[in-house]
Amino acid sequence: MIVGVLRESFPHERRVALIPTLVTTLVTMSAEVLVEAGAGAAAGFPDAEYEAKGARVVARSDVFSRADVILMVRTPGANPTAGAKDTTALRDGQILIGLSEPLGAHNATKEVAARGASLFAMELMPRITRAQSMDALSSMAMVTGYKAALLAATELPRMFPMMMTAAGTVAPSRVFVIGAGVAGLQAIASSRRLGAKVEAYDVRPAVKEQVESLGARFVELPIENAGAEDKGGYAKAQDEAFYQKQRALLARTVAASDVVITTASVPGKRAPVLIPADAVAGMAPGSVIIDLAADRGGNCELTKPDEIVIARGVTILGPTNLPSTVPYHASQLYAKNITTFLLHLVKDGAVQFNLEDEITRETLVTHKGEVVHPRVRELMDLAPASAGRAS
Ligand code: NAD
């Protein structure tokens, strides 16, 4: 089996899908590893380190023409403009593994299917214990939450910790985290480590205990949210009346906070708007909002993806790719997730399309010229695929 690794082409993307230490793992299972020249450079992994571990450094076209399996951070679905060229380079039967926006990037998915390539989307990894080491969304969300706390601390004209000095006492900053999933919990932990006073809220009542275990206060809102969680542990979409009530109830805590970090999202849907413009107006000048749902439409009405918006003295940031700003460790974690996944798929030296296996079934999006994933097909308005969709 030949495994190829490409240099990422998405603008400003600095991560790489495989790091040199994991080349050894693949070589040990008798795979040949081809790495595009410069693939790891932006993440701090020079070509020579890949070669030292047994990989061959080659041109991009060689990866496409020779690899049986291509590992990427962003496959064409998650790389809308620059990725289009990659789609046309794919071969029939080639296997592509990476992030691919499977619930939204329908055209890219169709085009990959039309090339005859089999696409495994890392975003669709089931959230089961067995797949935890392959869960790239969690690893990347962790990096995102950490970096969001740092960004907030640098943007804020105050310090996070309380300080008692001869020149007087500095009160701790108040951080409010909305959405206490993986990114939110890490934002809470990192803000706490920096000494801030942290509050958090999530629509899923189950996270209260996790928030409190990190030393933050859980903000309870008097709204009915018993059916807030689906069986995969994700939040369910609510109706507009619910969000309206939420916005009104959150406004008071938002106004009292120096920093608001929002991470609220619902898979496959636009992120709920939880901070309208009038709630921003209620915050003190100098306050900071870090909107981590910017790439899903934003939790704050005024967010502009990857821009700095200043509204009534409040700074609003909507970074869409924070893992890429910590490329060394983000690549290390992602590479471990994707390699573990590949090892899971391979038996007798080749990738098996065993649909009895939940991990394989849930992540396989295209195969043998077709979009095969039932949920993706439904979102694309395609009729259900016939039974026994892969072999
Ligand atoms: P996510 O990125 O989809 O959402 C982030 C958070 O926003 C979630 O906690 C969600 O409840 C919250 N949210 C959505 N709508 C909201 C609203 N209107 N108001 C406030 N908050 C709102 O989710 P995620 O962080 O990727 O994961 C969510 C959960 O999935 C985790 O906390 C965990 O319980 C579970 N999970 C399980 C595994 C596993 O078992 N292997 C792995 C990772 C995550």
Side-chain angles (χ1 to χ4, degrees):
M1 187 175 71
I2 303 178
V3 178
V5 179
L6 292 168
R7 184 182 174 142
E8 295 297 315
S9 62
F10 183 75
H12 312 298
E13 182 56 74
R14 293 169 67 195
R15 288 171 292 175
V16 61
L18 187 72
I19 62 163
T21 48
L22 289 166
V23 169
T24 315
T25 310
L26 297 180
V27 169
T28 311
M29 61 175 242
S30 307
E32 186 181 339
V33 181
L34 304 180
V35 177
E36 181 183 348
F45 302 103
D47 289 348
E49 286 188 22
Y50 288 95
E51 283 174 320
K53 298 289 181 189
R56 282 188 49 209
V57 172
V58 298
R60 190 173 187 86
S61 56
D62 291 330
V63 175
F64 280 110
S65 64
R66 294 202 48 220
D68 302 306
V69 180
I70 298 181
L71 305 181
M72 299 186 85
V73 176
R74 291 173 179 271
T75 72
N79 184 11
T81 310
K85 252 203 308 206
D86 293 339
T87 309
T88 53
L90 290 171
R91 285 184 290 113
D92 188 40
Q94 206 158 35
I95 296 164
L96 189 59
I97 310 179
L99 298 168
S100 72
E101 294 288 337
L103 305 182
H106 301 327
N107 283 340
T109 304
K110 258 187 234 162
E111 283 158 18
V112 170
R115 299 296 302 176
S118 297
L119 169 68
F120 287 98
M122 291 300 282
E123 294 98 327
L124 295 176
M125 193 61 68
R127 290 194 141 172
I128 52 176
T129 312
R130 205 158 57 89
Q132 259 174 4
S133 53
M134 312 171 203
D135 183 354
L137 280 191
S138 288
S139 333
M140 296 305 101
M142 215 184 68
V143 177
T144 300
Y146 158 79
K147 195 62 192 276
L150 295 190
L151 262 186
T154 39
E155 284 298 327
L156 194 69
R158 300 163 175 261
M159 293 190 280
F160 266 26
M162 180 171 99
M163 290 198 197
M164 294 167 90
T165 79
T169 298
V170 170
S173 293
R174 296 184 58 162
V175 175
F176 182 31
V177 176
I178 303 179
V182 183
L185 289 172
Q186 190 51 238
I188 295 169
S190 301
S191 300
R192 288 279 303 140
R193 276 183 217 120
L194 288 170
K197 204 168 159 203
V198 183
E199 294 178 302
Y201 164 75
D202 197 294
V203 73
R204 295 179 298 119
V207 300
K208 178 175 191 266
E209 220 174 289
Q210 295 170 39
V211 165
E212 288 173 348
S213 74
L214 292 171
R217 191 179 84 82
F218 189 76
V219 174
E220 311 225 24
L221 300 187
I223 38 180
E224 177 58 50
N225 57 354
E229 186 164 327
D230 71 10
K231 61 177 169 27
Y234 285 111
K236 280 202 232 161
Q238 307 287 333
D239 58 17
E240 190 43 38
F242 181 93
Y243 291 135
Q244 214 169 345
K245 212 162 168 195
Q246 243 193 336
R247 281 193 285 273
L249 291 165
L250 286 171
R252 204 149 49 111
T253 313
V254 167
S257 304
D258 302 305
V259 168
V260 179
I261 299 175
T262 69
T263 78
S265 70
V266 177
K269 299 261 189 298
R270 191 214 180 280
V273 175
L274 301 176
I275 309 181
D278 54 1
V280 175
M283 296 177 80
S287 305
V288 174
I289 297 173
I290 310 282
D291 187 346
L292 297 181
D295 61 339
R296 299 272 179 264
N299 290 139
C300 173
E301 190 184 350
L302 304 180
T303 301
K304 293 207 171 105
D306 293 317
E307 285 185 32
I308 300 175
V309 174
I310 299 183
R312 301 229 196 165
V314 177
T315 304
I316 305 163
L317 267 59
T320 60
N321 193 6
L322 286 181
S324 174
T325 67
V326 195
Y328 186 94
H329 280 140
S331 300
Q332 179 188 316
L333 298 171
Y334 184 82
K336 183 68 182 175
N337 295 143
I338 203 167
T339 309
T340 310
F341 179 47
L342 179 60
L343 293 184
H344 174 80
L345 295 174
V346 171
K347 209 172 152 211
D348 301 328
V351 167
Q352 308 293 317
F353 295 91
N354 170 19
L355 299 184
E356 300 291 309
D357 170 54
E358 183 181 359
I359 297 176
T360 311
R361 187 176 64 238
E362 291 298 321
T363 49
L364 183 62
V365 178
T366 70
H367 189 54
K368 294 193 170 170
E370 269 203 89
V371 177
V372 293
H373 195 282
R375 182 149 171 236
V376 176
R377 283 188 74 89
E378 196 184 314
L379 290 167
M380 291 169 86
D381 288 327
L382 295 171
S386 47
R389 56 193 167 93
S391 57

